[in-house]
Amino acid sequence: MWTNDNLSDASSKISVVGNKSNQKYPVTKPADPATVEKIRKNLEKLQGQVDDIKKQLATYKEFLEGEAVSKSGYQVDKGYGRIPVEQQVIMLEKKKKDLETQIDEQLDEARKMGIDPGQLR
């Protein structure tokens, strides 16, 4: 056992907390601002698509419940389609899930690049 008094007698290398030569993990460089901006814009675009889908889903669900279609911002009667509303809801929920997965993947990639989540807001 070593104490401060006999530390100079120690023959092996002693690990010191904060000593840069003893770090096991590489220090990452700060992220490139252009990369951060690119990822931020990509995330904003994906989040905008998710928000649009949420509006469409709310409108379809209101329609299925018998409420007035013009109540919300999205117009269900704009155009004709052969796909039943229930199936459209299922397709939109799948698309929303896929977009949310893409957002999670983008955030994981950013984290791996050393980008702080606060930089992407």
Side-chain angles (χ1 to χ4, degrees):
M1 182 164 141
W2 304 105
T3 64
N4 286 340
D5 296 331
N6 62 357
L7 191 59
S8 61
D9 298 336
S11 60
S12 63
K13 189 170 184 176
I14 299 171
S15 175
V16 178
V17 176
N19 186 352
K20 292 184 180 185
S21 64
N22 288 336
Q23 289 182 348
K24 294 180 181 177
Y25 304 103
V27 177
T28 57
K29 298 178 188 174
D32 177 36
T35 304
V36 172
E37 186 63 26
K38 179 182 174 186
I39 293 173
R40 181 184 306 125
K41 286 185 179 196
N42 211 5
L43 287 171
E44 287 173 358
K45 178 183 171 188
L46 291 171
Q47 188 60 51
Q49 291 174 352
V50 169
D51 293 342
D52 288 343
I53 288 174
K54 285 180 181 179
K55 288 178 188 175
Q56 290 176 16
L57 285 171
T59 301
Y60 285 145
K61 288 178 182 177
E62 288 174 2
F63 176 75
L64 289 172
E65 293 171 1
E67 294 184 29
V69 176
S70 62
K71 182 178 167 184
S72 65
Y74 188 75
Q75 297 177 356
V76 175
D77 60 350
K78 189 176 181 182
Y80 296 99
R82 294 181 178 225
I83 301 172
V85 174
E86 295 88 1
Q87 288 181 354
Q88 290 182 36
V89 168
I90 291 169
M91 290 177 1
L92 283 173
E93 286 175 345
K94 182 186 179 320
K95 186 174 180 181
K96 179 181 154 219
K97 184 179 176 184
D98 291 343
L99 289 170
E100 289 171 341
T101 301
Q102 289 179 19
I103 289 172
D104 290 341
E105 289 171 355
Q106 286 279 319
L107 290 172
D108 285 343
E109 285 299 315
R111 182 183 49 81
K112 289 177 184 176
M113 291 180 192
I115 298 173
D116 183 36
Q119 292 177 302
L120 299 173
R121 293 187 183 126

